[in-house]
Amino acid sequence: MTSGGLRTDSRWLALIVLCAGMLMIVLDQTIVNVALPAIAEDLKFGQAGLAWVVNAYLIAYGGLLLLAGRLGDLIGHKKVFLIGLGVFTVASLLCGLSFSAEMLIISRFVQGAGGALATSVTLGMVVTMFPEPNEQRRAIGVFSFVAAAGASLGLLLGGVLTDAMSWHWIFFVNIPIGIVAAVAAVRLVPDSVGLGLREGADVLGALLIVAAVMLGVYTIVKAEHYGFGSAHTLGLGAVALALLVGFVQRQRTAAKPLLPLRVFKSRNVTGANLVQISMVAGMFGLFFLGTLYMQLVLQYTPLQIGLAFMPVAGAIAVFSVSLSARLNIRFGERNMLIVGLLFMLVGMVVFTQVPVDGSYVAHILPAVAPLGIGLGLSFPALMTLAMSGAAHDEAGLASGLVNTTAQVGGALGLAVLATTSTTYTSSLLASGVGRLEALTSGFHLAFWISSALVAVALGLAVFVLRQVSVDREAQPVLVH
């Protein structure tokens, strides 16, 4: 059996290579978090400067995803993937060798740019390599496991490397992975002929969207410090919104737009991206503040926190890799997404009840187990729905859009939940409530907001998305 000149076995090997590159980049988004105290001590970071170790990466990564995805369509997905791997790997080396705060922050920005180039086209390449619907579902299941489980694996690996060696190794570990993935990708991943830069070299549109998303992410991540009602946040937010409006207007009038607005005519593409913004906002915020709850209230070590989240990765592996494809075929992606979001909602509501003296078996495990099941069911279904309405020559664009909405949702969720939790905790401390009780109450409020965000995603899935019908001889089509 062949597909695009590749044997079936070769395509699955190529999928493993793509997932290895994806895993390296996804891990890096959380592996750094547990090493921040060691980095701050070694490089003499101030509290405000330390946040830029994370923010510099987020701004570059989120800002360049959409542009990188479109570049994949124009010059070839494989080329963009390899360039991204190369940039990310070199930047990882520079991060590990950093001897000053400034060097690390600049290297993290470059690392984010490389991550955007590599991951923006990955889902589009998976969809292109596996056009047959049932195979595509299985491939997306594997991809979804890497994307969803990588965050919790990063917490564990970050704790191990930081405790056993030093913070430098959370970056050095990327180097052999990046080299092996790049060499294997050259041999195994199929090449694609891009449309050519003349088909979409909208330089003004590119500048507008990169500036809008970068400024928007910056505004969101700094809102925790300035407050959402501050002149700083409102002013920069207005500028980011104006740039976005300018970009949309440019796409309406440009002869060869960077982002053809017709992609949003697909109800599933638009709906799935809206679901993802809300879902990821709730999920990322909960994982971040759940980590702080275990660290500050339960006094868990970084390694213990990583182990605490391992049931999430395990459940995602079982459901996204082993079961999701069969369940999606049997019951449909829209229905399985709804079931997955319900499981996530249950886990988040359980998290709202964690006490000051909580135990892992009685309070944490009953929350993370349904979260893992929900993520394992939701992500493969959501990815299929998000890509179902995209034309073949816009696969990279649709893939970049999916990754962009995930980053925007994650940044927004972290900023809103962290700010709300901190503000409420501070007010309780000022009124005389004990430190642990105040912290726990602040986390409870944030967990309720996370639950509400997932509930919004559930409502969108029910009322906006349409089911994808299965035609074994053709691409998925929308049911009207």
Side-chain angles (χ1 to χ4, degrees):
M1 177 178 175
T2 62
S3 179
L6 287 176
R7 292 177 307 177
T8 302
D9 289 345
S10 298
R11 289 185 296 129
W12 290 101
L13 288 173
L15 176 64
I16 293 172
V17 173
L18 292 176
C19 287
M22 180 75 178
L23 179 62
M24 176 180 68
I25 295 165
V26 171
L27 284 173
D28 203 75
Q29 297 184 41
T30 54
I31 198 173
V32 174
N33 291 343
V34 295
L36 288 177
I39 293 173
E41 182 178 356
D42 191 20
L43 298 184
K44 312 303 180 188
F45 267 99
Q47 186 66 33
L50 188 62
W52 279 101
V53 177
V54 176
N55 293 346
Y57 182 94
L58 280 178
I59 291 170
Y61 187 86
L64 293 172
L65 276 167
L66 193 59
L67 174 59
R70 185 55 176 166
L71 282 175
D73 291 332
L74 298 179
I75 68 174
H77 298 159
K78 181 177 179 178
K79 291 184 182 69
V80 171
F81 178 75
L82 289 172
I83 293 170
L85 275 185
V87 171
F88 187 88
T89 303
V90 171
S92 295
L93 175 63
L94 295 175
C95 286
L97 295 174
S98 293
F99 51 80
S100 68
E102 293 78 12
M103 181 178 177
L104 180 58
I105 290 172
I106 293 171
S107 300
R108 284 284 286 167
F109 186 89
V110 177
Q111 198 183 32
L117 287 167
T119 59
S120 64
V121 295
T122 304
L123 182 57
M125 294 169 78
V126 171
V127 171
T128 302
M129 284 195 304
F130 297 92
E132 196 276 320
N134 292 343
E135 281 192 327
Q136 187 179 107
R137 285 182 168 97
R138 291 194 292 271
I140 288 178
V142 175
F143 171 86
S144 300
F145 162 67
V146 172
S152 52
L153 291 174
L155 292 172
L156 176 61
L157 187 58
V160 171
L161 290 174
T162 303
D163 288 347
M165 303 174 78
S166 74
W167 67 265
H168 300 275
W169 284 93
I170 66 173
F171 299 112
F172 287 150
V173 72
N174 293 330
I175 298 169
I177 299 174
I179 293 172
V180 171
V183 172
V186 170
R187 295 174 58 87
L188 295 172
V189 175
D191 206 351
S192 61
V193 178
L195 299 173
L197 289 175
R198 292 183 178 180
E199 292 300 318
D202 179 15
V203 177
L204 177 58
L207 292 175
L208 285 170
I209 191 60
V210 169
V213 177
M214 281 191 173
L215 184 59
V217 173
Y218 169 80
T219 303
I220 291 169
V221 299
K222 295 300 288 182
E224 180 181 354
H225 174 72
Y226 289 98
F228 281 92
S230 68
H232 180 276
T233 300
L234 294 177
L236 290 183
V239 174
L241 182 60
L243 288 168
L244 183 60
V245 171
F247 170 74
V248 172
Q249 182 61 29
R250 170 67 181 177
Q251 301 315 289
R252 292 179 60 189
T253 59
K256 296 172 181 177
L258 177 71
L259 174 59
L261 297 182
R262 64 178 177 272
V263 72
F264 294 107
K265 291 182 179 179
S266 167
R267 185 166 176 166
N268 274 10
V269 169
T270 301
N273 279 281
L274 290 174
V275 168
Q276 178 158 251
I277 290 175
S278 188
M279 183 183 82
V280 172
M283 181 191 70
F284 272 40
L286 182 135
F287 279 158
F288 178 75
L289 293 171
T291 298
L292 290 181
Y293 165 74
M294 293 182 217
Q295 179 185 14
L296 300 177
V297 178
L298 301 185
Q299 303 296 305
Y300 281 17
T301 67
L303 180 57
Q304 287 175 318
I305 292 171
L307 291 171
F309 279 116
M310 283 309 293
V312 175
I316 292 172
V318 170
F319 282 89
S320 65
V321 177
S322 302
L323 298 176
S324 67
R326 284 177 288 180
L327 291 172
N328 287 336
I329 292 170
R330 177 79 179 271
F331 300 105
E333 281 82 3
R334 174 180 173 274
N335 294 331
M336 295 316 303
L337 173 60
I338 291 170
V339 172
L341 289 170
L342 284 170
F343 269 101
M344 288 181 64
L345 187 58
V346 168
M348 289 179 170
V349 171
V350 172
F351 248 123
T352 66
Q353 306 303 308
V354 291
V356 172
D357 57 348
S359 70
Y360 182 74
V361 173
H363 302 103
I364 305 299
L365 184 59
V368 297
L371 273 176
I373 295 171
L375 287 168
L377 292 174
S378 297
F379 265 108
L382 187 60
M383 294 304 99
T384 301
L385 289 164
M387 299 296 291
S388 64
H392 179 82
D393 59 359
E394 294 173 352
L397 174 63
S399 175
L401 182 62
V402 169
N403 283 285
T404 300
T405 55
Q407 289 303 307
V408 171
L412 181 62
L414 283 175
V416 171
L417 271 66
T419 301
T420 304
S421 177
T422 301
T423 302
Y424 188 54
T425 296
S426 297
S427 67
L428 292 176
L429 288 172
S431 66
V433 176
R435 176 178 174 274
L436 294 182
E437 289 79 4
L439 282 169
T440 304
S441 296
F443 292 140
H444 283 169
L445 177 59
F447 296 154
W448 276 116
I449 297 174
S450 291
S451 302
L453 288 168
V454 172
V456 170
L458 178 62
L460 289 169
V462 171
F463 296 108
V464 175
L465 295 179
R466 291 171 172 165
Q467 183 51 49
V468 178
S469 67
V470 179
D471 179 352
R472 286 176 169 78
E473 302 300 328
Q475 285 277 47
V477 294
L478 298 182
V479 176
H480 294 275

